[in-house]
Amino acid sequence: MAAPLNVALIGYAFMGRAHSNAYRQVARFFNPKHPPRMKVLCGRTAKNVKAAAEQLGWEEAATDWREVVRRKDIDIVDISTPGDSHAEIAIEAARNGKVVFCEKPLANTVREAEQMLAAVKKAGVIHMICHNYRRAPAVMLAKELIESGKLGKIYHYRGTYLQDWIVDPNFPLVWRLRKEAAGSGALGDIASHSLDLARFLVGEITEVTAALETFVKQRPLPDNPKKKGRVTVDDASAAVVRFQNGALGTIEASRFATGRKNYNRFEINGSKGSIVFNLERMNELEVYLTGDDPAVQGFHTIMVTDGDHHPYVRHWWPAGHIIGYEHTFVHTVYDLLEAVARDKVPTPNFEDGVKNQKVLAAMEKAAATKRWVKV
Ligand SMILES: NC(=O)c1ccc[n+]([C@@H]2O[C@H](COP(=O)([O-])OP(=O)(O)OC[C@H]3O[C@@H](n4cnc5c(N)ncnc54)[C@H](O)[C@@H]3O)[C@@H](O)[C@H]2O)c1
């Protein structure tokens, strides 16, 4: 194995843990040319970040991301913080010649996203955005079926990303519910994933119309539950989209879909067949093909775990020995490391991040003006 790539991870909560797991596991199951070395974990509170670094397997803990991204011994800066800090950290990391791996959505505004893209291009560094669902084997199989023409001409993308974690009106006003921290609500948080899958599988979106809704407008403050503050983002979004290739789509996201936990589902209909993916059954892909024997025609379920035929899974277990959520991050990190080794920008990258951000902004504008908006 060649020399390791030293990683600095900023943020150590939900995504910080998912990314840490990916760095820990990737060289144990895959064979990256340059394995990652978990050099430094960065947060804001010294005691907490130190404890997290020990638990998650990082060599050092730090509290000043500016110092961290300037360190000569760091190769990759991984940004797993809320959206309001992505631009600042990414731009500074790029200026210092680092590979920049950033969580979604790329930024809180199109302007910030464009500045981030300009910075990585100017510095000539490798960049990637973490839309990890592209790397579920079933989604990769969906991509292959579409690219090979097996589904024919694509007519529909029907994406739904549904959760229910804030149905309780007493759920506190966390950062995800504040525009200045998160940029938007369900839209940027989860519709962004469904949108990225739409662009990955079907193509570019040219025009949108949308509605946004905030059902609970005031919520208890996290550190003073007796007081309430205003929710400044959407709880749910619903959009109709037109694709460059003529397909018509819908992208719906909600944090108020009672009973739905992480229901990231899409259905794609083409002239020769249809496919259905649901993250909550992520080892499966439902397929319908018009060319099948009419006597047994219907949607059938493929277990996407056969290493001879399905991407990534040969590195894990024998067929039928399923994989989970965290594996999508391992696959993403593996592809990032291989891209760095080949000095080639992987996908999805900051260009995709900017394109996604423009569609999200168009959806917000469409919702505000109650019109169709060109992207
Ligand atoms: N790819 C996915 O499926 C996925 C899932 C969840 C979240 N995300 C994205 O990941 C990012 C982080 O979300 P999360 O769920 O991990 O949030 P979180 O609240 O669980 O964690 C945020 C972390 O960032 C740290 N942080 C905040 N500001 C900081 C600063 N200025 N300097 C250093 N550390 C700082 C916090 O201490 C915390 O450790 C967001 O952009 C979110 O949209 C992506």
Side-chain angles (χ1 to χ4, degrees), residues 34-51:
H34 300 277
R37 179 165 172 190
M38 298 170 71
K39 195 76 188 161
V40 53
L41 181 65
C42 180
R44 289 167 300 179
T45 317
K47 188 168 155 259
N48 298 350
V49 70
K50 188 169 177 293

Side-chain angles (χ1 to χ4, degrees), residues 103-369:
E103 261 304 342
K104 48 50 60 177
L106 189 58
N108 282 359
T109 63
V110 172
R111 198 178 132 75
E112 279 176 357
E114 284 175 339
Q115 289 169 342
M116 292 165 78
L117 175 61
V120 291
K121 281 191 152 173
K122 186 171 175 211
V125 296
I126 303 277
H127 46 100
M128 189 181 200
I129 177 170
C130 187
H131 278 297
N132 50 301
Y133 297 128
R134 285 194 187 199
R135 267 121 180 141
V139 172
M140 283 291 179
L141 177 61
K143 173 82 172 164
E144 281 170 30
L145 292 174
I146 293 168
E147 299 272 294
S148 67
K150 286 203 174 78
L151 298 190
K153 180 175 161 50
I154 302 301
Y155 293 124
H156 286 298
Y157 175 86
R158 207 167 290 112
T160 43
Y161 201 144
L162 309 179
Q163 301 180 338
D164 71 353
W165 56 278
I166 56 170
V167 169
D168 178 357
N170 289 319
F171 186 89
L173 189 69
V174 295
W175 71 261
R176 280 189 161 82
L177 305 178
R178 291 189 294 110
K179 190 172 177 63
E180 68 275 20
S184 64
L187 184 72
D189 188 18
I190 50 180
S192 66
H193 273 308
S194 190
L195 162 64
D196 182 70
L197 291 174
R199 288 188 49 254
F200 178 53
L201 295 167
V202 180
E204 294 304 339
I205 288 169
T206 54
E207 207 182 6
V208 307
T209 189
L212 302 180
E213 190 55 65
T214 304
F215 301 112
V216 173
K217 296 186 170 52
Q218 304 262 336
R219 287 183 180 271
L221 300 179
D223 39 16
N224 182 6
K226 286 197 182 123
K227 268 188 102 177
K228 284 194 173 179
R230 199 158 69 86
V231 176
T232 45
V233 299
D234 55 286
D235 289 331
S237 67
V240 182
V241 304
R242 286 189 197 284
F243 291 85
Q244 211 159 42
N245 61 11
L248 182 66
T250 53
I251 296 176
E252 184 195 1
S254 179
R255 293 164 167 173
F256 273 70
T258 307
R260 295 298 184 196
K261 303 303 170 187
N262 202 33
Y263 188 84
N264 177 9
R265 179 187 187 274
F266 63 75
E267 174 165 327
I268 294 174
N269 311 117
S271 57
K272 295 191 201 164
S274 294
I275 48 174
V276 180
F277 171 76
N278 174 4
L279 181 74
E280 291 179 346
R281 305 188 65 91
M282 63 167 278
N283 290 279
E284 301 172 358
L285 187 71
E286 285 182 63
V287 179
Y288 177 103
L289 294 172
T290 56
D292 283 350
D293 177 352
V296 290
Q297 200 168 46
F299 275 94
H300 58 277
T301 303
I302 299 164
M303 193 78 182
V304 190
T305 55
D306 182 343
D308 289 339
H309 300 287
H310 305 136
Y312 299 111
V313 287
R314 74 184 170 84
H315 296 275
W316 298 106
W317 317 117
H321 296 64
I322 55 176
I323 61 166
Y325 175 67
E326 71 273 25
H327 295 78
T328 62
F329 294 94
V330 182
H331 302 164
T332 305
V333 160
Y334 173 66
D335 287 341
L336 171 67
L337 295 172
E338 292 308 86
V340 175
R342 291 196 311 272
D343 195 24
K344 204 166 172 286
V345 178
T347 54
N349 51 52
F350 284 18
E351 304 253 14
D352 294 284
V354 168
K355 285 181 183 161
N356 288 349
Q357 208 81 40
K358 285 184 176 169
V359 180
L360 295 175
M363 287 175 181
E364 283 189 293
K365 189 170 172 196
T369 57

